[in-house]
Amino acid sequence: MIRSITQLKPAEEIERLLNGLDRVFIVGCGTCVTLTRTGGAPEVAAMKTQLSEAGKVVTGTTVVPVACDNLTGEILAGIDSQIRQADALLIMTCAYGVQTIARQIKKTVIPALNTLFIGKETGAGHFDEVCKQCGTCIIGETGGICPVTACHKGLVNGPCGGTNNGKCEIDPDKDCAWTAIYNRLKDLGRLDSMRKYQKPRNHLGEPSPGKFRLPAE
Amino acid sequence: MPSVFKKALDSGKFVVTCEAAPTKGTNLDTMKHHIELLKDKVDAMNVTDHQSSVMRYPSLGGAILVKEMGGEPILQMTCRDRNRLALQADLLFAASRGVHNVLCLTGDSVMLGDHKEAKPVFDLDSSQLVAAIRTMERGKDMAGNELDGGVRFCAGAIVTPEANPIEPQLIKFEKKLEAGAEFIQTQAVYDMDNFRKFMEYARQFPVKILAGVILLTSAPMARFMNKNVAGVTVPQSLIDEMASAPKGGALAKGIEIAGRMIRQIKEEKICDGVHIMAIGKEEKVVDIMAAAGL
Ligand code: SF4
Ligand code: SF4
């Protein structure tokens, strides 16, 4: 399962973003942010208390099931009166949810969370970024481990000089991708593919912003 | 025409390089002082490229300065701050200004420096930068377009002989050689037995190897490196030796140790030369060389 991984913005930033917007409606989501405890029912309730204490009028709150689903617009339309009274929507979902709502409701939207990465669940309560959707996938030669994502520098020809006992130079809690790739390829008897020189990466997979249309039948 | 440094490498002599560290700002007096002091004593001077990801005067500017002052520069180039267009452009600039030696590095993480929020680039890695240089020498840029006026470089790269695990590091080392690296400067080596082992392996390749020597300035500094600098291990015996120095004598002890190591590397012909890093104490390079009998 993949999840959108988020983090609450600093209180000062939320305060600044809500400056002059006194009546606020808060939206949470029942999916990823509920799991990561950044925008589920308890966090929405806590935010309501926090804003009320700061002198805001909270016109209402809701936790939609899946904020990034287009149905969210219809759900919010059902509580239109509370939303209409608000100067802004404070949205405690990932940026996909924030943008889904922004497209459907003519109201100022303020994200309360920072969206960090799309995480793969790697253990109970553990999420890791394993793919950056680069558009030119190269993991067929790296033992199925993505160096573009798992290596802090996105190196494709092996480790940098900062690798330290299997850990990355930026954080002793982060694994060095190239130690992992080496171990995996060694296990598979495929070290030859690590020895192969990889040309500079093709960054032209899908020029940003990505767009996809199902071909007409 | 091969560069002065390349000729020194090929001559079979024991090669010595050092560093000129660009300053933060435009006051180049200290750097000029170090260049003046060292340019005729060493075979080449490396100019570091925003070392430790701390923004400074550019390495290319420093390399041109070394050249203008009559020294032989080695331009350090990291892949951290420039994409392939900017790197190639800077190589053209370097070549046009008489800078013909390049040391290709991946570069430290931006997060380790003083502009932590900057966007890291890493469009190329160090082996790809070496390959790009070789491509440009054949008269084409990386996209296959003709160059009007070519380049010629002596290209080198880095290896960390004390990396753990060592095998991935050696695979990368071999890729750098395949890409065309002619010389290798190592990360600091203190454990001669380990370095000898590395050299036994490295000798099978036709590449010149300069052992990295970092001047120890105090016992705490040595401990700090052990803790914070990946791939550098100062053995306990050297830390004890530093700690045993009389009050105020730690630097002299460090110079003695560096000199002794260089002398050993030279006398035992362990590798082809040394790269002395006297981080912040460049004027001491002269003393280190004297202590080494160079
Ligand atoms: S190379 Fe990595 S980032 Fe690119 S598509 Fe494959 S897994 Fe994703
Ligand atoms: S230590 Fe490993 S994961 Fe970290 S940047 Fe270097 S090669 Fe990549």
Side-chain angles (χ1 to χ4, degrees), chain A residues 130-139 146 148-149:
Chain A
V130 299
C131 172
K132 284 188 185 295
Q133 296 90 42
C134 77
T136 46
C137 194
I138 60 165
I139 62 176
C146 172
V148 173
T149 310

Side-chain angles (χ1 to χ4, degrees), chain A residues 6 26-47 61-64 92-93 113:
Chain A
T6 50
I26 307 172
V27 184
C29 171
T31 310
C32 305
V33 293
T34 289
L35 191 84
T36 56
R37 298 184 199 143
T38 45
E43 293 77 36
V44 167
M47 181 61 79
T61 68
T62 186
V63 176
V64 298
M92 302 183 72
T93 75
L113 309 182

Side-chain angles (χ1 to χ4, degrees), chain A residues 117-130:
Chain A
F117 57 91
I118 300 302
K120 150 114 192 73
E121 192 166 17
T122 48
H126 290 218
F127 292 89
D128 290 301
E129 186 181 24
V130 299

Side-chain angles (χ1 to χ4, degrees), chain A residues 152-153 155-166 169-170 178-179 182 191 194-201 203, chain B residues 84 106-109 111-112 122-125 127-128 131 142 160 164-165 167-169 171-172 174-175 178-179 230-231:
Chain A
H152 171 68
K153 297 172 188 167
L155 305 176
V156 295
N157 273 304
C160 73
T163 174
N164 213 357
N165 300 318
E169 75 176 23
I170 61 154
W178 277 102
T179 304
Y182 169 79
L191 276 179
M194 184 165 165
R195 291 184 198 284
K196 200 182 123 213
Y197 170 76
Q198 299 290 348
K199 286 190 305 200
R201 280 183 55 225
H203 289 277
Chain B
R84 64 192 84 174
T106 298
D108 291 331
S109 165
M111 284 175 60
L112 304 182
F122 301 111
D123 182 25
L124 304 185
D125 64 35
S127 56
Q128 292 163 345
M142 289 177 71
T160 305
N164 179 25
E167 296 86 356
Q169 185 71 204
I171 291 175
K172 182 91 178 259
E174 290 181 31
K175 282 187 177 184
E178 275 166 39

